[in-house]
Amino acid sequence: MTSPRADAHPADLSTEHLHSALEDPALASMNFLNEVANRYPDAISFAPGRPFEEYFQIEDVHRYLRVFCEYLEQERGLSPAEVRRTLYQYGRTKGIVHELIARNLTEDEGITIDPESVVVTVGCQEAMYLVLRALRADERDVLLAVRPTYVGIDGAARLVDMPVLPVSGEGPGIDLDDLIRQVRRARAAGLRPRACYVMPDFANPSGTSLDLALRHQLLEIAEEEDFLLLEDNPYGLFNGGDDRVPTLKALDRRRRVVYLGSFAKTALPGARVGYAIADQRVAGRSGAVELLADQLSKIKSMLTVNTSPIAQAVVGGKLVEHGYSLLAANVQERKLYAANMTQLLHGLARHFPAGATAAEGISWNAPTGGFFAVVTLPFVADDALLAYSARRHGVLWTPMSHFYGGTGGHHQLRLATSLVTSEQIEQGLGRFAALVADRTRTDWQLPAT
Amino acid sequence: MTSPRADAHPADLSTEHLHSALEDPALASMNFLNEVANRYPDAISFAPGRPFEEYFQIEDVHRYLRVFCEYLEQERGLSPAEVRRTLYQYGRTKGIVHELIARNLTEDEGITIDPESVVVTVGCQEAMYLVLRALRADERDVLLAVRPTYVGIDGAARLVDMPVLPVSGEGPGIDLDDLIRQVRRARAAGLRPRACYVMPDFANPSGTSLDLALRHQLLEIAEEEDFLLLEDNPYGLFNGGDDRVPTLKALDRRRRVVYLGSFAKTALPGARVGYAIADQRVAGRSGAVELLADQLSKIKSMLTVNTSPIAQAVVGGKLVEHGYSLLAANVQERKLYAANMTQLLHGLARHFPAGATAAEGISWNAPTGGFFAVVTLPFVADDALLAYSARRHGVLWTPMSHFYGGTGGHHQLRLATSLVTSEQIEQGLGRFAALVADRTRTDWQLPAT
């Protein structure tokens, strides 16, 4: 960044008179994480939750585009001029790959939906924004979110000035008693809890998955207490071993679930294509009933107009090429992520064997898939320790406090396994063990930086 | 759309408890315009302000992608692995074509900017949203906009609950006295006028351009009265004959202008790539001074994370291919649009010659470029007349009242010339003249539909 500070002119504006989200501590801490990563490019990084990129080739983009155009001509019966128009012009606000998404959900998730209930979005982040913007009618509307929480939902909620009430995610992934308590307490205070955000499969950042019984109970509670569930599912395909548990949306019989879909981990992040499934019926003032998807579409028309048809074509081509199955498209990736997670968990067990002094007070969870595991330490794992870890030991990770809005997780850190090689996991865990040994020396002090 | 009304289940939600923008009359009227267009596909349409698509070929997308990747390797020195990562992964929040945009602005507009002040966005619409979200700190913040106004800015303002105060756009394109009056009246009422939205070149919908003197005065007023100018410039490149007038941003010496850029008309709408130039200095609570672009970037990180690098690569490739000049890239298009506008204005003069009975009370403006002209009629040109015009005469246009939020323009309509052929203009004007003759019959009554 340039440094306008050096300029003699005074500032033109002040954040005091801009939206308050711009002074959120969360933004500063995200900045800090990026800076550390940039300052130590040679460190082994368990920080980014990005998908493995080495199976991708630029040529794939060209092929996906061609496959999608063939699909438009051959399966949808478009003329060459219509195909050209589809890619070139402004398009349908709700998107052009909605039918492919519906087929994909049937194929991979056993979810049957009307393609009209799909809104294709600029990544899952826009889907979150659209849903929260629709639900936030006035200052009484609040969102619930399982803590620790993916930072993206906090960001979207900030933009619509919607408070996020934390629900404990300890133990099995969500504390249902706490959920009910939070909902009722909010109602008693005159607030309207509109929805609860949850990532039931291999959650970011905890790695935790909800079991089937818990999912059924959660759906029951949403019905009884009258709120929606916002189910975010970027990692569900990456189960390591056992059978996959059905999504909330697959179990949803009463339209309680808005499903937030992402192609960032299963197709490619660079397309920035995600979607919402919003099959809820909305009564309008005129008496007409429309799908919630159509309400989200109206908001999208004021926000981004439509998702790039070229970007959608890339994702659509990948879906067509693999018979609408992202499980089929991710055979290599699924193996790799499962192997990485197994190696990480075995490595932690080897470095911190039960009964050993250095392992005292150290524990970790054992996700059966996904990108993330969480280590709990007998000492604080904050930004200062991360900076030290990077500089002194050449290993990066993410302090869990970032996912608690600064109110918890102080002794925990997240390890991401998606972007590292087997060698890096091995070496990185060695460095991490050295950091722990270093930090648990009785005379340890964080050196001034 | 499916009809959930047929279902026996009651609605799940009501718009009463959703964001109030969802019941905006503007949305219903947009819907109406789309429905009319869909119902009469064989009508000749002067309605859509879409760019001419027949010069585009799907193969262009492939070539632009290849050109951009070569640029990354050869000019930016990226390795093949880095090029792959650039297209595949999440990217820089402010975008990856900022340097190309800076070069393009130097080339085509004589604007010199620091590439760090560019935020690449999902179409110009997202740029509008980001700026308004930043500026709207609380309920005192208001926007000014020249009426008639492009509907996109109204939409973005609705999403951040920011009132839009109209400024008269009569005559030369903006009534500066009215502007000052509106600003002072708002201040006196305890409001904070933060910015005035203006499209100085071939405005949508009026077709009007501001002359140089007016631009200088506008900049002066913005400085004296202390607000920003949001300059939206999608059509500036499409001047028909005379030399182009410098943009406000090119004349801006005191960082009063946030420039909103679009590639939808000059590259391709399907990329959904636009940008904001925000070089204003913003003082933060910590005392640090950052560019407004960096504040917008923070908001973007919570809204869409980043603009698809694949979509950016398509636009970037087009810029590189034409030596960073969109004037050079649009030689054919510029000729076509200029010829269409000339033909339209000549055709109107032929069909409605001065002194003829049918021409009584009919007038039109004479834009020297762009996509739009406005016809003023001696009768109301509303949605009902449009429906009649489509059904009975097979010609479509846009009632100007849509651009006045229903508070004006009742006797006016917009004719767009960008998506019609020469034959269609000829035939369409004949049909339009028949509508006018029909409507001015003394016994005319709008038939019940």
Side-chain angles (χ1 to χ4, degrees):
Chain A
M1 212 187 62
T2 53
S3 172
R5 236 175 302 190
D7 195 296
H9 293 286
D12 307 304
L13 296 161
S14 156
T15 56
E16 210 184 316
H17 298 121
L18 299 180
H19 191 259
S20 60
L22 295 169
E23 286 283 8
D24 266 5
L27 283 171
S29 69
M30 280 297 130
N31 242 350
F32 171 80
L33 295 181
N34 288 332
E35 269 172 36
V36 171
N38 290 335
R39 217 182 320 146
Y40 302 96
D42 296 330
I44 291 174
S45 182
F46 294 111
R50 300 182 162 208
F52 191 70
E53 66 200 32
E54 292 184 27
Y55 299 139
F56 170 78
Q57 300 300 331
I58 298 278
E59 195 45 43
D60 296 342
V61 172
H62 294 284
R63 199 179 62 254
Y64 295 148
L65 283 170
R66 276 186 234 107
V67 168
F68 184 74
C69 290
E70 281 166 26
Y71 153 83
L72 289 180
E73 281 203 45
Q74 290 165 16
E75 198 163 336
R76 301 275 301 278
L78 269 62
S79 70
E82 288 168 328
V83 171
R84 183 177 64 179
R85 183 175 308 140
T86 302
L87 257 67
Y88 177 75
Q89 284 287 13
Y90 297 96
R92 184 173 173 274
T93 309
K94 287 200 289 183
I96 59 171
V97 294
H98 50 305
E99 293 176 357
L100 297 176
I101 289 171
R103 285 207 222 179
N104 166 248
L105 287 173
T106 304
E107 193 69 36
D108 286 343
E109 306 288 351
I111 299 176
T112 309
I113 48 138
D114 177 356
E116 286 297 331
S117 66
V118 179
V119 184
V120 184
T121 53
V122 181
C124 190
Q125 186 66 31
E126 191 195 24
M128 293 181 194
Y129 177 89
L130 296 179
V131 174
L132 297 189
R133 178 67 294 180
L135 292 177
R136 202 279 193 186
D138 65 40
E139 65 291 342
R140 289 169 295 178
D141 297 302
V142 295
L143 177 70
L144 299 149
V146 176
R147 286 271 174 213
T149 313
Y150 171 57
V151 293
I153 194 76
D154 281 325
R158 286 295 281 123
L159 291 186
V160 301
D161 301 309
M162 192 176 196
V164 181
L165 308 180
V167 172
S168 169
E170 295 301 304
I174 183 169
D175 179 337
L176 295 178
D177 293 333
D178 190 47
L179 171 62
I180 296 172
R181 197 161 44 235
Q182 294 294 347
V183 169
R184 294 184 180 169
R185 189 185 298 166
R187 286 241 163 78
L191 302 174
R192 298 189 296 217
R194 300 302 300 269
C196 179
Y197 171 84
V198 57
M199 209 184 277
D201 290 279
F202 316 119
N204 180 7
S206 71
T208 308
S209 296
L210 307 186
D211 68 25
L212 186 60
L214 211 48
R215 292 177 194 225
H216 279 297
Q217 288 170 289
L218 187 54
L219 284 161
E220 270 311 308
I221 292 169
E223 180 70 18
E224 280 164 21
E225 302 284 335
D226 192 18
F227 58 86
L228 293 171
L229 294 169
L230 310 185
E231 177 178 35
D232 189 4
N233 186 23
Y235 309 103
L237 242 57
F238 303 117
N239 62 317
D242 304 0
D243 285 347
R244 292 169 57 217
V245 183
T247 61
L248 291 173
K249 191 65 196 163
L251 302 170
D252 181 26
R253 294 287 162 272
R254 289 173 290 197
R255 299 184 300 272
R256 278 286 155 196
V257 179
V258 176
Y259 184 87
L260 303 169
S262 169
F263 290 111
K265 312 302 185 290
T266 54
L268 73 172
R272 300 301 304 130
V273 175
Y275 60 94
I277 308 294
D279 56 1
Q280 288 71 24
R281 294 175 167 82
V282 180
R285 211 181 287 157
S286 70
V289 175
E290 290 184 316
L291 293 168
L292 179 58
D294 291 305
Q295 306 296 332
L296 302 185
S297 175
K298 290 175 194 173
I299 296 176
K300 183 171 172 66
S301 73
M302 308 181 214
L303 191 69
T304 59
V305 184
N306 55 253
T307 305
S308 166
I310 293 171
Q312 290 185 71
V314 171
V315 168
K318 184 161 187 172
L319 286 171
V320 171
E321 181 168 290
H322 295 279
Y324 319 108
S325 172
L326 290 169
L327 277 168
N330 283 279
V331 171
Q332 289 184 94
E333 288 82 354
R334 283 163 48 80
K335 267 191 203 146
L336 176 91
Y337 295 141
N340 282 1
M341 183 60 78
T342 302
Q343 190 189 347
L344 181 88
L345 299 177
H346 287 174
L348 285 169
R350 213 175 55 247
H351 280 287
F352 305 107
T357 323
E360 233 170 80
I362 299 184
S363 63
W364 54 91
N365 65 352
T368 57
F371 286 13
F372 309 108
V374 171
V375 179
T376 303
L377 297 162
F379 48 81
V380 168
D382 58 6
D383 286 358
L385 189 70
L386 169 62
Y388 178 77
S389 175
R391 182 162 46 86
R392 181 66 188 262
H393 294 282
V395 61
L396 299 173
W397 35 267
T398 309
M400 280 291 284
S401 53
H402 288 273
F403 305 102
Y404 282 91
T407 64
H410 299 297
H411 288 74
Q412 295 188 317
L413 55 85
R414 186 190 78 175
L415 298 178
T417 60
S418 51
L419 204 58
V420 276
T421 61
S422 173
E423 295 69 36
Q424 286 172 323
I425 295 174
E426 205 53 35
Q427 214 184 334
L429 281 178
R431 295 179 183 191
F432 179 66
L435 168 72
V436 172
D438 188 3
R439 177 61 188 79
T440 44
R441 279 186 295 117
T442 50
D443 61 338
W444 191 85
Q445 272 194 311
L446 186 66
T449 44
Chain B
M1 214 187 63
T2 54
S3 171
R5 238 175 300 190
D7 195 296
H9 293 286
D12 307 305
L13 296 161
S14 158
T15 54
E16 210 183 316
H17 298 121
L18 299 180
H19 191 259
S20 60
L22 295 169
E23 287 282 9
D24 267 5
L27 283 171
S29 69
M30 280 297 129
N31 240 351
F32 171 80
L33 295 181
N34 289 331
E35 269 172 37
V36 171
N38 289 334
R39 219 182 319 145
Y40 301 96
D42 295 330
I44 290 175
S45 183
F46 294 110
R50 298 179 166 212
F52 191 70
E53 65 199 33
E54 290 183 30
Y55 299 138
F56 170 78
Q57 300 300 331
I58 298 279
E59 194 47 41
D60 296 342
V61 172
H62 294 284
R63 197 179 64 255
Y64 295 148
L65 283 170
R66 275 185 236 110
V67 168
F68 185 75
C69 289
E70 281 165 26
Y71 153 82
L72 289 180
E73 282 201 46
Q74 289 164 17
E75 196 162 338
R76 302 277 301 276
L78 269 62
S79 70
E82 287 168 329
V83 172
R84 182 176 68 180
R85 184 175 307 140
T86 302
L87 258 69
Y88 177 76
Q89 284 287 11
Y90 298 96
R92 185 170 172 275
T93 309
K94 287 201 289 183
I96 60 171
V97 293
H98 51 304
E99 292 176 358
L100 296 177
I101 289 171
R103 286 206 222 179
N104 166 248
L105 288 172
T106 303
E107 193 68 36
D108 287 342
E109 305 288 352
I111 300 176
T112 309
I113 48 138
D114 177 356
E116 287 297 330
S117 66
V118 180
V119 185
V120 184
T121 54
V122 180
C124 189
Q125 188 65 32
E126 191 195 26
M128 294 180 194
Y129 177 88
L130 296 180
V131 174
L132 297 189
R133 179 67 294 180
L135 292 177
R136 201 278 193 189
D138 65 41
E139 65 289 345
R140 289 169 294 176
D141 297 302
V142 296
L143 178 70
L144 300 149
V146 177
R147 286 270 173 212
T149 313
Y150 170 58
V151 293
I153 194 76
D154 282 326
R158 286 294 283 124
L159 292 185
V160 302
D161 302 308
M162 192 175 196
V164 181
L165 308 182
V167 173
S168 170
E170 294 303 304
I174 183 168
D175 178 338
L176 295 178
D177 293 333
D178 190 46
L179 172 63
I180 295 171
R181 197 162 43 237
Q182 294 293 346
V183 168
R184 292 184 182 170
R185 188 185 299 165
R187 285 241 164 78
L191 301 174
R192 297 189 295 217
R194 302 301 301 269
C196 178
Y197 171 84
V198 58
M199 208 183 279
D201 291 280
F202 316 119
N204 179 7
S206 71
T208 308
S209 295
L210 308 186
D211 68 23
L212 186 61
L214 211 48
R215 292 178 195 225
H216 280 296
Q217 288 171 288
L218 188 53
L219 285 161
E220 271 312 308
I221 292 169
E223 179 71 17
E224 278 164 23
E225 301 285 335
D226 192 18
F227 58 85
L228 293 172
L229 294 169
L230 310 186
E231 176 178 37
D232 189 4
N233 186 23
Y235 309 102
L237 241 56
F238 303 117
N239 63 316
D242 304 359
D243 285 348
R244 293 170 56 218
V245 185
T247 62
L248 292 173
K249 192 64 196 165
L251 302 170
D252 181 25
R253 295 286 163 272
R254 289 172 292 197
R255 298 184 301 274
R256 278 286 156 196
V257 179
V258 176
Y259 184 88
L260 303 168
S262 170
F263 291 111
K265 312 302 184 291
T266 53
L268 74 171
R272 300 300 306 126
V273 175
Y275 59 94
I277 307 294
D279 57 359
Q280 288 71 23
R281 296 175 166 82
V282 180
R285 210 180 289 156
S286 69
V289 175
E290 290 183 316
L291 293 168
L292 179 58
D294 291 305
Q295 306 296 332
L296 303 184
S297 175
K298 290 175 194 173
I299 295 175
K300 183 170 171 67
S301 74
M302 308 182 214
L303 191 69
T304 59
V305 184
N306 55 255
T307 305
S308 166
I310 293 171
Q312 290 184 72
V314 171
V315 168
K318 184 161 186 170
L319 285 171
V320 171
E321 182 168 290
H322 295 278
Y324 319 109
S325 171
L326 290 169
L327 278 168
N330 284 280
V331 171
Q332 289 184 94
E333 287 82 356
R334 283 163 47 81
K335 267 191 205 146
L336 176 90
Y337 297 140
N340 282 0
M341 182 61 77
T342 302
Q343 191 188 348
L344 182 89
L345 298 176
H346 287 174
L348 284 168
R350 211 175 55 246
H351 281 287
F352 306 106
T357 322
E360 233 169 80
I362 299 185
S363 62
W364 54 91
N365 63 353
T368 56
F371 286 14
F372 310 108
V374 172
V375 179
T376 303
L377 296 162
F379 47 82
V380 167
D382 57 6
D383 287 357
L385 188 71
L386 169 62
Y388 178 78
S389 173
R391 184 161 46 84
R392 182 66 186 264
H393 294 282
V395 62
L396 299 173
W397 35 267
T398 309
M400 280 292 285
S401 53
H402 288 274
F403 305 101
Y404 282 92
T407 64
H410 300 298
H411 287 73
Q412 295 188 315
L413 54 85
R414 186 191 76 176
L415 298 178
T417 59
S418 52
L419 204 58
V420 276
T421 62
S422 173
E423 295 69 35
Q424 287 172 324
I425 294 174
E426 206 52 35
Q427 213 183 334
L429 281 178
R431 296 179 183 192
F432 179 67
L435 167 73
V436 172
D438 189 5
R439 178 62 189 79
T440 44
R441 280 187 296 117
T442 49
D443 61 337
W444 191 86
Q445 272 195 309
L446 187 65
T449 44

